[in-house]
């Protein structure tokens, strides 16, 4: 199904207050065909995270700090096994927050991710790229996690140079950017504005 090919099954953009300030919130979820204990292990175990996402180091426990190779680091603010964790997401001098929730659903487990950032901190960036700048990256993560859970794959899509350069990968980026544009329109953005943001996002991820 297309939504699984490009990562998440559901996407939304909302505006809310976070720590007393207006914030943009990007929300995605997907049901994975495994039990909650296995999915929790996949997203919190330092040996499994690099198989679908990025190499990670640090103290993966409440109050500990983590660092994703070449990407964000931060502090683990909540860790309630096997249902919830919250982290700060510190990257290029900026601060945002990521929350993950796991809930059994049917024969699988639903993973819901929220990425929260204060609107004032990224006003120019958001006006140029919108939610897709963050959302496309998370779609890649959702996709890689699905491959790992369903087939045992141990190489994240982004780490596969041949795939990253392929027409399939470029189509993935474009479809993901458009899906986030659709979510943005559903949240009230003007279709032409959302489409322009999606086109710029897709060009960034595909190299033009």
């Amino acid at each position: 199904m297309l939504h699984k090919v490009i990562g998440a099954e559901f996407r939304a953009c909302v505006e809310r207050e976070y720590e007393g300030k207006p914030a943009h919130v990007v929300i995605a979820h997907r049901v994975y065909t495994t039990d909650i204990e296995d999915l929790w292990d996949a997203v919190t175990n330092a040996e499994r995270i690099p198989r679908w996402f990025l190499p990670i180091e640090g103290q993966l426990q409440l109050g500990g700090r983590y660092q994703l190779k070449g990407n964000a680091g931060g502090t683990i603010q909540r860790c309630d096994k096997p249902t919830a964790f919250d982290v700060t997401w510190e990257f290029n001098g900026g601060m945002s927050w990521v929350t993950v929730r796991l809930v059994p659903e049917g024969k699988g487990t639903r993973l819901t991710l929220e990425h929260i950032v204060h609107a004032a901190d990224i006003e120019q960036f958001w006006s140029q790229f919108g939610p897709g700048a963050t959302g496309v990256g998370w779609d890649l993560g959702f996709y890689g996690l699905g491959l790992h859970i369903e087939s045992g794959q141990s190489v994240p899509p982004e780490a596969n140079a041949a795939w990253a350069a392929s027409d399939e990968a470029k189509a993935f980026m474009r479809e993901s950017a458009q899906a986030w544009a659709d979510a943005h329109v559903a949240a009230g953005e003007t279709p032409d504005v959302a489409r322009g943001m999606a086109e710029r996002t897709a060009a960034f991820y595909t190299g033009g």
Side-chain angles (χ1 to χ4, degrees), residues 63-198:
R65 286 193 61 83
Y66 72 93
Q67 179 63 53
L68 291 161
K69 185 177 180 180
N71 205 293
T75 301
I76 299 171
Q77 298 182 311
R78 176 178 179 179
C79 185
D80 298 336
K81 181 180 179 178
T83 60
F85 71 82
D86 300 350
V87 299
T88 62
W89 190 265
E90 302 165 28
F91 183 68
N92 278 348
M95 170 78 84
S96 55
W97 298 265
V98 173
T99 71
V100 173
R101 301 291 181 266
L102 304 183
V103 179
E105 183 166 318
K107 296 182 179 180
T109 305
R110 177 189 296 270
L111 184 155
T112 300
L113 179 145
E114 294 191 357
H115 196 148
I116 307 159
V117 61
H118 287 144
D121 292 345
I122 60 164
E123 184 175 358
Q124 183 176 355
F125 187 79
W126 184 269
S127 66
Q128 184 175 3
F129 296 105
T134 299
V136 173
W138 286 120
D139 264 329
L140 280 165
F142 273 68
Y143 177 47
L145 180 57
L147 292 174
H148 174 62
I149 292 295
E150 294 165 13
S151 69
Q153 180 163 316
S154 59
V155 179
E158 288 178 280
N160 183 333
W163 184 83
S166 69
D167 289 341
E168 178 185 347
K170 292 178 180 179
F172 177 105
M173 309 301 180
R174 288 191 291 268
E175 291 286 352
S176 174
Q178 183 55 55
W180 283 104
D182 293 343
H184 205 186
V185 171
E189 184 56 85
T190 304
D192 286 348
V193 172
R195 184 164 55 250
M197 291 174 171

Side-chain angles (χ1 to χ4, degrees), residues 21 30 90 198:
K21 298 179 181 180
R30 174 170 168 175
E90 302 165 28

